[in-house]
Amino acid sequence: PSTSGQTNPTIFTPTTQDYQKVYDAIAKKLIDEDDYDDGSYGPVLVRLGWHSSGTYDKLTNTGGSNGATMRFAPEGDHGANAGLKAARDFLEPVKKQFPWITHSDLWTLGATCAIQEMGGPDIAWRPGRSDRDVAYCTPDGRLPDASKGSDHLRGIFYRMGFNDQEIVALSGAHALGRCHTDRSGFEGPWTFSPITMTNDYFKLLLDEEWDYRNWNGPRQFQDNKTKTLMMLPTDVVLIKDEGFRPHVDRYANDQEEFFKEFSDVIMTLFELGVPFESGKEARNVFKRTE
Ligand code: ZEM
């Protein structure tokens, strides 16, 4: 009998092919349900994978994607998680179709699928997360606050075990998606192609002039030329801070280098705190949709 709060009896032992079927079902839904935001649920799926993982605290070995505790009110209602119900609801029919997969595996698999299907790098993934009960919800405040500076960013990401290079690489996910006033209070996309993974986030950070937007919302930046793009205070920090800046320069100059380092760091992010019974050899890269 388990005392770990784990609630997922495994019905059978799924193989890599079984997980590929889950990947394919998510990829198909991404294509079919294009009537959302900029034409894809992909970005919000990536955000779900990140917020389920980014609660990790290496000192106490708590939080992280194991558990999928965002299903429960205390964590689901944290301000940082506003809007992620859209992503959880999107994946629910997939969970119904493949009841043997845990929510916590499904959420990181969903993000992995979304990144690949939006033209991002291959991301190695392995199963092994189990769902846990409400008692495992993490306290509010573990995810970054976009209105803050470099000390805050380092505080949050060092707590997960990441370094400056990894903070910059992870931030490149803001090539995707947008901010919503009814979720974070911020507004707008970072790039002109928010449903395609590129290194444009870094190029735009360097190439555009970023002014404070004059509006009633929270302090954010807008590009001086088209006034349609946005950057958060924590994004602009990456070009001001001398520990972060060299990596912005590298990634802006070389998309392949960015993709390689992004792939490594997001795989690590999705595995934080997960008590895998398998070794690294269980990692697999899913085949993309043609
Ligand atoms: Zn985000 N992010 N993020 N991020 N993020 C938003 C949206 C998205 C920060 C942040 O405050 C915000 C990472 C890191 C950080 C994505 C992926 C990743 C939004 C807008 C905010 C405010 C939410 C809204 O209104 O809908 C901060 C401060 C970060 C610190 C560096 C990392 C790491 C990510 C993945 C690896 C994605 C894909 C989105 C777009 C979501 C969408 O719905 O379009």
Side-chain angles (χ1 to χ4, degrees), residues 189-259:
W190 289 266
T191 66
F192 294 110
S193 53
I195 62 169
T196 306
M197 183 96 195
T198 63
N199 65 341
D200 285 0
Y201 166 81
F202 299 109
K203 288 188 181 167
L204 289 160
L205 261 176
L206 294 176
D207 293 349
E208 299 307 316
E209 241 178 88
W210 296 98
D211 303 326
Y212 283 122
R213 175 170 171 184
N214 186 9
W215 74 323
N216 282 328
R219 179 170 271 213
Q220 69 175 59
F221 295 85
Q222 72 179 10
D223 73 297
N224 178 281
K225 226 183 280 159
T226 71
K227 305 189 192 314
T228 57
L229 300 179
M230 71 92 59
M231 289 289 168
L232 299 164
T234 43
D235 296 312
V236 170
V237 153
L238 304 183
I239 55 174
K240 305 272 187 223
D241 181 284
E242 60 181 33
F244 295 139
R245 176 62 183 259
H247 305 291
V248 176
D249 293 337
R250 280 194 305 117
Y251 298 149
N253 281 323
D254 190 338
Q255 175 162 289
E256 236 180 274
E257 199 162 311
F258 166 52
F259 272 18

Side-chain angles (χ1 to χ4, degrees), residues 36-37 42-44 46-47 50-51 82 144-147 153 157 167 170-171 173-174 176-181 183-186 190 232 234 262 266 269:
Y36 174 81
D37 257 5
V44 79
V46 176
R47 190 160 200 246
W50 141 236
H51 278 207
D145 176 343
S147 67
L153 266 191
F157 283 92
I167 293 171
L170 282 169
S171 299
H174 285 169
L176 300 169
R178 59 168 56 243
C179 297
H180 306 76
T181 48
R183 295 179 180 182
S184 60
F186 298 97
W190 289 266
L232 299 164
T234 43
F262 180 77
I266 202 145
L269 173 70

Side-chain angles (χ1 to χ4, degrees), residues 2-188:
S2 163
T3 52
S4 64
Q6 304 191 347
T7 55
N8 281 285
T10 306
I11 297 157
F12 75 110
T13 308
T15 63
T16 302
Q17 287 72 31
D18 293 310
Y19 287 105
Q20 179 74 51
K21 284 181 194 149
V22 179
Y23 178 104
D24 293 344
I26 299 168
K28 179 167 188 316
K29 259 177 82 73
L30 283 173
I31 293 163
D32 291 348
E33 295 172 36
D34 62 356
D35 189 18
Y36 174 81
D37 257 5
D38 299 290
S40 175
Y41 277 91
V44 79
L45 287 190
V46 176
R47 190 160 200 246
L48 176 63
W50 141 236
H51 278 207
S52 74
S53 308
T55 54
Y56 184 64
D57 173 32
K58 70 173 178 188
L59 283 182
T60 56
N61 193 31
T62 58
S65 63
N66 195 50
T69 45
M70 204 199 295
R71 287 170 300 149
F72 305 114
E75 197 173 328
D77 290 349
H78 289 168
N81 291 330
L84 290 178
K85 190 175 184 301
R88 297 195 301 272
D89 288 351
F90 176 90
L91 290 174
E92 221 30 50
V94 181
K95 167 75 180 157
K96 295 251 149 58
Q97 195 183 343
F98 304 96
W100 46 265
I101 195 170
T102 62
H103 279 97
S104 39
D105 272 341
L106 179 62
W107 291 353
T108 54
L109 201 167
T112 299
C113 172
I115 292 165
Q116 291 193 173
E117 296 296 310
M118 291 188 287
D122 285 350
I123 318 265
W125 182 90
R126 62 177 150 155
R129 298 161 193 78
S130 45
D131 292 343
R132 294 175 134 179
D133 65 37
V134 62
Y136 287 83
C137 283
T138 47
D140 201 357
R142 286 200 177 180
L143 291 160
D145 176 343
S147 67
K148 299 243 164 92
S150 48
D151 287 353
H152 170 75
L153 266 191
R154 290 197 169 92
I156 294 283
F157 283 92
Y158 288 5
R159 186 207 69 224
M160 295 175 223
F162 290 121
N163 62 29
D164 288 359
Q165 170 261 321
E166 291 169 315
I167 293 171
V168 179
L170 282 169
S171 299
H174 285 169
L176 300 169
R178 59 168 56 243
C179 297
H180 306 76
T181 48
D182 58 339
R183 295 179 180 182
S184 60
F186 298 97
E187 186 179 36

